[in-house]
Amino acid sequence: MKKALALCVFTVALVGCKSLVEKGHNLFQAGMYTQSAEYYEQALAEDPHNIEAQKGLAQARNKILDKGLIDVRMLRLGGNQTGATLKLESLLRNQIDWQVEPFGAIANTQSEELAYAAQWLQQQAKLLSQSRYPDKFRYFEHSYSFLISNAQLGTQFAEYRVPLQNKAHMQCQQMVSQATNQRFFLRQFAEKYCMSWSLPQAFKSISKDPTRYSNISLSPDFTVRLHQTSRQANVLNTASLAFKQIFRESLWYSPIGQKTFDLEFQAKLEHSREAKLVNRQKHYTTVEERINPQEPKETLDVEVKKAYSYPVTEFTEQFSIDAIYKGVLARQSIEFKVDDSQVHYTQSHHADFPQLGISPMQATFLDAETRLDKQLSALQSHFKAQLDRIWIETHCDGLIGAQYGEYILRCGKIAPQNEFVNSWFKKQFGLAYNEMAALYAL
């Protein structure tokens, strides 16, 4: 009985003593269709052939579409046609991802809302085609691509292509004239932009970027003392590779960088374990039957003092890690140190004497691997944060308005919500940075 109760308590912690499918059913009955679908998806991840989960997921998704279409209608009737169209676009994307075909009343509602959306899309396309910002029209097509395809508006919208391209050509020419050899990010953006509008440009061979690095030179200096069974022998070498990877994934690295980044990585690691065999004793008193010396034919219960001896292995563990990195990046010194240490005692034996409260004991050793990983992860996280911080200080502070957008683009890479960045993009293209990034993979 106790075992069954413990099992239920453990199961409650995981799924409330109910299966994933049952959870999905309960949420479905409560009208929480999105949440119920998540449980059915989890059940199918564990067992793709679970028929109940398949049926439940199909029903939940149909309900999600039905409720979503009601939301679309309410938004439209409330005068928010933009919100209604965005919601309808999202529903169409889900239908394709889920491979769901609406039927019955759902299909009728969707067909009616698609007609309203198509009418609104045509009106918006006409307005945006007259804007001086051609990318606003392009982002419009990007945002409503499924609805435009469904309503077969592609041919009609293609009529706006020539005047839009003429405007884009002017934007392209302006960027090309400003994208000198030292404006590397602006040049890369100009190449993408012009090519996207079918206006390829003949740029001169690019030079080396004196502000970035094409290589990292790491100088490791390790002092390691480990016991024979330790598994940390290669951890520091792996950490060295991680430092290199973090740098190569940062904005400071580029194949066209002119410099080499020098990084020192020093570490002292010790994990020793000493064992000592000792003999333990536990005294106890027992009652034994003995012959009565006064009456040889009779016996007496006599208390006898005894000692139980057993061997015990005592372990003393010592763990310590001291690690530091040092470097100079963009004329700024960066440095960070971590350290951790502990002395740990444990023991083991095989003695088994329940009456004396003695049972076999296993030694519990330090989880040195986790402790070491924690310190090295902190070191690497700090390194990455410093790379980002100095990039922001260099390209987002002070010089952001310089070089005809070069520093704007550099800053946007790491701070896309920066007010100055978005103000510049809206002035130049009529769109925020993230919107332009969606079009041109900035």
Side-chain angles (χ1 to χ4, degrees):
M1 179 66 181
K2 290 182 179 179
K3 185 176 181 181
L5 180 60
L7 178 61
C8 185
V9 171
F10 176 74
T11 308
V12 166
L14 295 178
V15 292
C17 275
K18 294 184 176 69
S19 71
L20 293 170
V21 173
E22 288 174 323
K23 280 270 190 177
H25 288 343
N26 291 339
L27 290 167
F28 183 90
Q29 293 300 323
M32 302 172 70
Y33 306 121
T34 300
Q35 294 87 337
S36 70
E38 291 173 358
Y39 277 100
Y40 293 134
E41 288 169 353
Q42 292 178 39
L44 288 170
E46 294 181 2
D47 178 12
H49 304 292
N50 189 320
I51 302 300
E52 284 297 311
Q54 291 175 358
K55 290 181 179 178
L57 182 58
Q59 291 174 341
R61 285 176 170 175
N62 275 319
K63 285 291 186 180
I64 291 171
L65 294 176
D66 188 19
K67 185 176 181 301
L69 287 168
I70 292 174
D71 293 341
V72 169
R73 176 160 292 181
M74 295 305 294
L75 286 167
R76 176 177 59 79
L77 293 176
N80 186 359
Q81 185 62 60
T82 301
T85 310
L86 283 170
K87 179 71 176 179
L88 189 56
E89 172 76 14
S90 174
L91 291 176
L92 282 183
R93 291 175 186 268
N94 286 339
Q95 285 180 28
I96 293 173
D97 290 342
W98 297 343
Q99 298 181 344
V100 173
E101 188 70 30
F103 59 91
I106 297 177
N108 292 335
T109 301
Q110 179 168 297
S111 178
E112 185 177 341
E113 293 305 322
L114 283 171
Y116 283 108
Q119 183 179 358
W120 180 83
L121 288 170
Q122 292 175 73
Q123 294 170 352
Q124 289 299 113
K126 185 175 181 179
L127 288 173
L128 290 172
S129 69
Q130 299 167 3
S131 168
R132 71 185 184 92
Y133 299 114
D135 295 290
K136 294 186 74 171
F137 187 92
R138 171 162 282 184
Y139 188 72
F140 167 78
E141 288 185 304
H142 169 79
S143 300
Y144 301 105
S145 59
F146 282 75
L147 281 171
I148 292 170
S149 175
N150 182 277
Q152 299 180 346
L153 296 174
T155 302
Q156 179 180 337
F157 288 0
E159 297 175 2
Y160 304 122
R161 184 69 55 188
V162 173
L164 288 169
Q165 194 170 29
N166 291 335
K167 296 173 186 177
H169 182 75
M170 295 174 61
Q171 187 70 262
C172 171
Q173 291 298 319
Q174 181 182 0
M175 283 195 293
V176 169
S177 67
Q178 296 168 351
T180 63
N181 263 1
Q182 296 302 310
R183 294 171 187 154
F184 300 94
F185 281 67
L186 183 61
R187 172 176 170 148
Q188 184 182 45
F189 176 39
E191 288 178 342
K192 288 182 179 180
Y193 187 90
C194 297
M195 186 66 71
S196 178
W197 283 100
S198 301
L199 300 166
Q201 301 295 313
F203 286 93
K204 296 179 180 179
S205 298
I206 198 164
S207 61
K208 291 288 185 179
D209 186 349
T211 68
R212 287 185 287 172
Y213 303 78
S214 60
N215 191 29
I216 174 173
S217 176
L218 194 146
S219 302
D221 181 10
F222 302 148
T223 301
V224 181
R225 182 188 167 205
L226 303 173
H227 62 85
Q228 291 183 348
T229 60
S230 176
R231 295 179 294 179
Q232 283 81 55
N234 294 318
V235 172
L236 295 178
N237 290 327
T238 302
S240 297
L241 296 175
F243 273 111
K244 289 184 176 181
Q245 187 62 27
I246 290 170
F247 187 77
R248 291 192 183 105
E249 291 175 355
S250 77
L251 292 169
W252 289 105
Y253 174 80
S254 172
I256 63 170
Q258 193 176 63
K259 300 183 289 187
T260 294
F261 175 61
D262 297 315
L263 183 69
E264 296 179 30
F265 178 28
Q266 302 169 2
K268 294 181 180 180
L269 172 63
E270 178 182 353
H271 185 203
S272 62
R273 183 182 296 167
E274 296 180 359
K276 180 174 69 174
L277 187 64
V278 298
N279 193 54
R280 298 270 179 85
Q281 282 189 343
K282 190 155 188 179
H283 297 274
Y284 64 98
T285 301
T286 185
V287 176
E288 295 183 356
E289 192 176 76
R290 300 286 177 87
I291 296 174
N292 188 340
Q294 304 296 327
E295 296 291 339
K297 293 183 179 181
E298 297 179 0
T299 60
L300 296 173
D301 288 338
V302 179
E303 288 188 349
V304 180
K305 291 184 177 181
K306 291 188 174 183
Y308 177 70
S309 299
Y310 57 100
V312 175
T313 303
E314 295 180 340
F315 297 93
T316 301
E317 273 189 291
Q318 291 187 346
F319 170 82
S320 67
I321 174 66
D322 290 280
I324 186 173
Y325 75 76
K326 299 178 182 179
V328 177
L329 181 70
R331 298 181 182 179
Q332 290 195 43
S333 295
I334 56 174
E335 179 179 322
F336 190 64
K337 180 180 180 180
V338 295
D339 60 82
D340 183 24
S341 63
Q342 184 176 350
V343 178
H344 177 69
Y345 302 97
T346 186
Q347 59 186 12
S348 69
H349 64 77
H350 300 288
D352 192 6
F353 200 148
Q355 294 86 343
L356 296 180
I358 300 173
S359 57
M361 178 182 292
Q362 287 188 341
T364 55
F365 297 114
L366 279 174
D367 187 357
E369 187 172 358
T370 298
R371 296 180 76 101
L372 179 58
D373 285 346
K374 180 180 178 181
Q375 298 303 318
L376 294 177
S377 294
L379 202 67
Q380 292 158 10
S381 296
H382 186 274
F383 178 59
K384 183 180 184 303
Q386 291 302 296
L387 297 179
D388 292 346
R389 176 187 65 81
I390 297 175
W391 185 272
I392 290 174
E393 290 180 0
T394 303
H395 301 106
C396 294
D397 299 339
L399 292 174
I400 191 169
Q403 297 197 357
Y404 300 98
E406 173 69 12
Y407 277 72
I408 290 286
L409 289 162
R410 291 187 180 224
C411 179
K413 280 281 190 179
I414 201 167
Q417 301 304 323
N418 182 281
E419 184 179 354
F420 207 133
V421 169
N422 282 285
S423 175
W424 185 85
F425 268 93
K426 287 178 181 178
K427 181 179 179 181
Q428 296 293 324
F429 305 99
L431 297 174
Y433 177 86
N434 282 333
E435 294 170 333
M436 287 294 286
L439 294 177
Y440 301 105
L442 297 180

